[in-house]
Structures are given as structure tokens and as C-alpha cells.
């Protein structure tokens, strides 16, 4: 009917027919009613079962994982571990029996596979090779555990400048049809490198559109999506990366359900500003936007492990020592400042 209408010079009527065809039927609409459904808010089991954890315990305690239809975003300067954070989320999902599809725009499939492997096994590829590779005890045990889990991570490299959400959806359908692989979590590394389905007047509008479309895609396919975004230059210089440090378009924050920033708190010296994080450095994770929970709570301290693509959690004893060192440093800085001011007054 649409083809005939277009051929007859009636594009408006054809568009109306298309809209009518895709309109949801009443039987397919999921509704909650107040007060009848009030009990669902107090069902903690329901609340906990809805999210896929990140694998960072303290963060998961606060967000109870990323839920179906939600868009989660990792915000950080370059070299702070945005891609590593996404790998950590993928590994955590896989370990809990969830299937993951990881789309990469920068790293090859082999490089991404390497990161997942080292993060999963906690050993470098060189160390695993020295143990015998596929014939080694560690890898054999890993394969056995994987078979028991039944979950997998599908890795695909795409070209960001040619990829929009329509392309992502087409790839997901292909993965489902060709490989009979049904994902539970989608990872997009990362949204800043994508293009919108329809270009706006400037890059600001385009970036806002990309993240809005990723959120819509999550809703459409009823799956959680993790992605990442770059901070601007001010974020690179800051000790604490905040929401207004989002690069290109603050509008990206409007559509995200959860934004976790990665900061480097140990930046005390001017020459350290802009230096990338290294293995063993302390990073701070902060929830700077959370649509269904609290924001701005105390930061979550982790230790970077780029070699194995992991964020290592810090035990309570070491955290206490770090907090005491920070307090001592702040006290010393305040004392020196007062002493300098007193000397100037004299």
C-alpha cells in the first residue's frame, strides 16, 4: 500500500500508513497502576534482579547494576581508563552468566579479546603463554569454567565515522540470526566516535543526538547499554571530574541514566596535570548522575591495573591509611599557607 501511495504521488498518506502500522497495540502496552501496584516498590528481590552489576562492589552496592533500557556512561579524560571500565563491566556480566556484545571503534577484535582475557584470568598473555597457552592449566581451567557458565562475549570492531544506532541495531540482528547469540548487555566503546542518524547544525547537536539515540536503542531492545565519553580540557586539569566536564555537548548528560566519572585525586603538582594514569595509581569513581538514585556521595577509590585491564579494589586498612595521608597533607598545606600569610603581614 505504501509503495502504491508513493507512486501515486501521495507521500503524506504513505507516511501515515507507516505510522499506523508500527503503532503499539493496546495489548502490548505494559502499565503500572497506583495504588494497586505499590507493592512492587518494596519488593527488594525485584529491585536487585533488574540490574547487571559492574563488578566494582562499592559501586554496585549503590546502583544495583545497570537495568534493562538504561544507558550508562563512563566519563573521564584520555588515558584514565574509560575503555578499561567498559571491559570491567563486560567481565562482571559474563561472570554472572550474561551474554555480552562489545562494539569497539578504536581497538581491533584481537586487542579487545586480549584485554578481556587478561581481565578474566588475572594474568598477562605473556605469562599465560609461558605456562603453555591453550595447554596450560590456567587456560584449561578457564575454559571449563566458561562452559559451566554458558555465557559468552561477542566482540566486533566497527568504523565509528560510519556507525549510527541503526547500524548497531542491524549488527545486533545479524549476530542474533547468524550466530543464534542473544545478548543481555551491550557495550559501545565509545559513543563520542559515532555519528547521529540525522545530522544537526553543529557537532554539539550531533553528539547530543548520538547519546539520545543510544538511550532510545536501549529502550527499544530492552537491554542495558554501557558506553563512554571524553571529558573536556578542564576535566583533564581537574582533580575531580564533574558533569560539566563532558566534552563537546553537555546535552549528552541529559539522556544518560547513569554517569560514572573517573578522576585522579593525587594531582597535587602542576606538572602532573594532564598526565595519564599509570599502573598502581589511585583513581576515584564518582556517580555524577543517577536517574533513580543518589548522586554526589563519597568517591569510590580503586587502583588502576592497565596491564590486566582491571580496577583493583582497595581494602579498608589501606583506605584508612590513604585518608590519613590526605588529611595530613591538607593540614600541612593549610599550616604553610597560614605561615606564609603571617610572614607577608609582618
Amino acid at each position: 500500500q505504501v509503495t502504491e501511495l508513493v507512486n501515486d504521488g501521495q507521500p503524506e498518506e504513505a507516511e501515515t500508513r507507516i505510522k499506523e502500522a508500527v503503532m503499539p497495540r493496546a495489548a502490548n502496552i505494559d502499565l503500572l497502576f497506583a495504588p494497586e501496584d505499590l507493592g512492587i516498590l518494596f519488593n527488594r528481590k525485584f529491585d536487585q534482579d533488574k540490574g547487571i552489576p559492574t563488578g566494582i562492589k562499592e559501586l554496585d552496592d549503590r546502583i544495583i547494576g545497570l537495568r534493562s533500557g538504561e544507558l550508562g556512561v563512563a566519563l573521564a579524560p584520555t588515558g584514565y581508563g574509560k575503555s578499561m571500565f567498559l571491559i570491567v563491566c563486560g567481565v562482571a556480566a559474563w561472570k554472572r552468566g550474561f551474554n555480552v556484545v562489545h562494539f569497539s571503534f578504536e581497538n581491533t577484535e584481537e586487542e579487545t579479546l586480549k584485554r578481556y582475557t587478561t581481565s578474566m584470568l588475572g594474568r598477562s598473555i605473556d605469562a599465560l603463554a609461558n605456562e603453555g597457552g591453550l595447554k596450560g592449566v590456567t587456560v584449561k581451567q578457564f575454559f571449563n569454567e566458561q562452559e559451566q557458565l554458558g555465557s559468552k562475549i561477542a566482540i566486533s570492531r566497527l568504523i565509528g565515522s560510519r556507525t549510527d544506532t541503526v547500524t548497531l541495531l542491524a549488527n545486533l540482528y545479524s549476530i542474533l540470526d547468524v550466530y543464534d547469540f542473544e545478548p543481555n548487555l551491550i557495550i559501545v566503546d565509545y559513543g563520542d566516535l559515532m555519528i547521529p542518524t540525522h545530522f544537526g547544525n553543529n557537532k554539539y547537536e550531533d553528539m547530543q543526538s548520538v547519546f539520545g539515540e543510544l538511550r532510545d536503542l536501549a529502550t527499544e531492545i530492552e537491554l542495558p547499554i554501557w558506553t563512554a565519553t571524553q571529558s573536556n580540557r578542564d576535566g583533564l586539569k581537574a582533580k575531580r571530574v564533574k558533569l560539566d566536564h563532558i566534552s563537546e555537548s553537555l546535552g549528552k548528560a541529559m539522556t544518560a541514566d547513569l554517569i560514572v566519572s573517573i578522576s585522579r585525586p593525587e594531582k597535587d603538582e602542576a606538572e602532573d596535570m594532564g598526565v595519564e594514569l599509570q599502573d598502581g595509581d589511585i583513581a576515584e569513581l564518582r556517580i555524577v548522575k543517577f536517574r533513580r538514585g543518589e548522586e554526589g556521595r563519597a568517591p569510590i577509590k580503586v587502583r588502576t591495573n592497565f596491564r590486566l585491564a582491571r580496577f583493583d579494589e582497595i581494602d579498608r586498612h589501606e583506605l584508612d591509611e590513604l585518608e590519613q595521608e590526605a588529611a595530613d597533607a591538607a593540614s600541612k598545606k593549610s599550616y604553610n599557607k597560614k605561615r606564609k600569610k603571617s610572614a607577608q603581614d609582618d
Side-chain angles (χ1 to χ4, degrees), residues 138-155:
T138 304
V139 177
K140 280 185 179 180
Q141 183 179 353
F142 167 71
F143 273 112
N144 291 335
E145 291 173 353
Q146 184 190 38
E147 288 178 357
Q148 292 175 3
L149 284 170
S151 54
K152 294 182 180 179
I153 299 174
I155 302 166

Side-chain angles (χ1 to χ4, degrees), residues 119-253:
S119 188
M120 288 170 173
L121 276 68
R123 306 290 300 278
S124 69
I125 295 298
D126 289 341
L128 293 171
N130 291 335
E131 291 179 7
L134 294 177
K135 297 179 180 179
V137 175
T138 304
V139 177
K140 280 185 179 180
Q141 183 179 353
F142 167 71
F143 273 112
N144 291 335
E145 291 173 353
Q146 184 190 38
E147 288 178 357
Q148 292 175 3
L149 284 170
S151 54
K152 294 182 180 179
I153 299 174
I155 302 166
S156 175
R157 185 186 186 186
L158 300 175
I159 299 173
S161 60
R162 301 179 190 173
T163 303
D164 56 19
T165 51
V166 174
T167 307
L168 287 184
L169 184 59
N171 275 271
L172 288 172
Y173 278 130
S174 296
I175 291 170
L176 182 62
D177 293 340
V178 176
Y179 296 97
D180 193 26
F181 181 77
E182 188 169 345
N184 306 109
L185 173 68
I186 310 300
I187 293 176
V188 180
D189 189 13
Y190 54 100
D192 288 358
L193 300 178
M194 291 180 61
I195 58 173
T197 54
H198 301 288
F199 287 92
N201 296 319
N202 51 56
K203 195 168 183 179
Y204 183 98
E205 292 182 2
D206 291 344
M207 281 293 96
Q208 182 173 343
S209 295
V210 166
F211 280 74
E213 290 166 11
L214 280 173
R215 174 60 162 75
D216 292 342
L217 178 62
T219 303
E220 180 180 352
I221 62 179
E222 297 182 340
L223 294 176
I225 295 179
W226 270 112
T227 188
T229 187
Q230 188 101 335
S231 74
N232 56 26
R233 290 183 180 180
D234 290 337
L236 189 62
K237 298 175 182 178
K239 291 178 65 175
R240 176 180 176 181
V241 177
K242 298 180 289 186
L243 203 59
D244 56 2
H245 289 140
I246 288 182
S247 178
E248 301 294 349
S249 171
L250 190 58
K252 291 184 285 190

Side-chain angles (χ1 to χ4, degrees), residues 5 22 40 46 54 60-61 77 84-85 118 159 190 211 221 243 253 263 274 303 312:
L5 288 167
V22 300
I40 200 171
F46 171 85
T54 65
D60 291 328
D61 288 344
M84 189 164 72
F85 180 88
T118 57
I159 299 173
Y190 54 100
F211 280 74
I221 62 179
L243 203 59
S263 303
R303 196 175 295 281
D312 297 327

Side-chain angles (χ1 to χ4, degrees), residues 53-73:
T54 65
I56 301 171
K57 185 180 182 305
E58 193 173 345
L59 180 59
D60 291 328
D61 288 344
R62 300 182 189 183
I63 68 173
I64 320 178
L66 195 66
R67 295 181 179 179
S68 171
E70 290 185 333
L71 175 66
V73 179

Side-chain angles (χ1 to χ4, degrees), residues 76-77 79-80 235-241 261-269 271-278 281-286 301-302 304:
Y80 273 40
L236 189 62
K237 298 175 182 178
K239 291 178 65 175
R240 176 180 176 181
V241 177
S261 73
I262 306 173
S263 303
R264 182 182 179 186
E266 297 177 338
K267 282 183 168 184
D268 290 330
E269 303 298 331
E271 58 266 25
D272 285 341
M273 296 298 185
V275 176
E276 295 181 357
L277 283 165
Q278 305 295 324
D281 285 345
I282 301 295
E284 284 186 349
L285 307 181
R286 278 186 172 85
K301 288 182 175 7
V302 292
T304 57

